[in-house]
Amino acid sequence: MGAKITYAVTAAVLVVYFVLVGSRGVMLIQSGTLLTVTFGVAVLILPVIGIWFLWKNTQFVQRANRLAAELDAEGGLPVDELKRTPAGRIDRDSADEVFARRKAETEDAPDDWRSWFRLAIAYHDARDTSRARRAMQHAIALHDGKPVRA
């Protein structure tokens, strides 16, 4: 629940920032000189990119949470079997061991979104967030019946 609150607060702060930046861009455009209009347009591009990025990430999180809820209802969420250091961090060897099992499971069932979901969690636990995100996107695409890129 803490992660959802943090995400909501961060998104709200970003929206306020985009509004402030956008208003400055409009003010620059209203000045009417070639230089200020050019800067105003450039400043307006930043909030547009930011809003697009925030929207895509919010969609990704919602879809991943939907898959997690469905997998939880089926009783298929992976059990946390990772060893932890005294400080609470995941032990690297333990994460690698679980990752190897999840990878083999995914290789055995490459068209099953559930195995890709569990692989994404294993990637995340192994601190490989870019591959975790790609694996989760793959799981979402398989679940939704969309074409999957190799």
Side-chain angles (χ1 to χ4, degrees), residues 127-140:
R127 298 188 190 110
D128 192 344
T129 54
S130 62
R131 285 192 176 123
R133 187 172 183 89
R134 283 195 303 270
M136 187 61 73
Q137 288 169 335
H138 195 96
I140 292 167

Side-chain angles (χ1 to χ4, degrees), residues 104-146:
E105 174 187 323
T106 304
E107 288 170 350
D108 290 342
D111 295 329
D112 183 13
W113 68 267
R114 294 161 187 85
S115 63
W116 281 96
F117 183 95
R118 288 187 284 266
L119 180 64
I121 292 173
Y123 270 127
H124 182 268
D125 291 341
R127 298 188 190 110
D128 192 344
T129 54
S130 62
R131 285 192 176 123
R133 187 172 183 89
R134 283 195 303 270
M136 187 61 73
Q137 288 169 335
H138 195 96
I140 292 167
L142 285 172
H143 179 270
D144 293 346
K146 293 181 181 171

Side-chain angles (χ1 to χ4, degrees), residues 29-118:
I29 291 170
Q30 288 174 341
S31 294
T33 68
L34 179 61
L35 184 63
T36 60
V37 169
T38 304
F39 279 141
V41 170
V43 166
L44 283 177
I45 290 172
L46 295 174
V48 169
I49 293 170
I51 288 169
W52 174 83
F53 184 76
L54 182 61
W55 174 251
K56 294 306 271 184
N57 278 304
T58 301
Q59 283 183 321
F60 173 76
V61 168
Q62 288 174 338
R63 289 176 180 146
N65 285 339
R66 187 182 73 222
L67 263 59
E70 188 174 330
L71 200 56
D72 187 31
E74 295 174 358
L77 278 179
V79 177
D80 186 2
E81 55 189 312
L82 299 168
K83 296 176 186 146
R84 303 196 185 276
T85 65
R89 293 187 62 120
I90 295 172
D91 178 65
R92 184 72 168 176
D93 293 334
S94 175
D96 289 344
E97 179 184 316
V98 171
F99 172 78
R101 286 199 318 263
R102 299 292 180 225
K103 186 175 180 188
E105 174 187 323
T106 304
E107 288 170 350
D108 290 342
D111 295 329
D112 183 13
W113 68 267
R114 294 161 187 85
S115 63
W116 281 96
F117 183 95
R118 288 187 284 266

Side-chain angles (χ1 to χ4, degrees), residues 1-11 61 65:
M1 188 62 158
K4 287 182 181 181
I5 292 170
T6 301
Y7 189 82
V9 169
T10 303
V61 168
N65 285 339

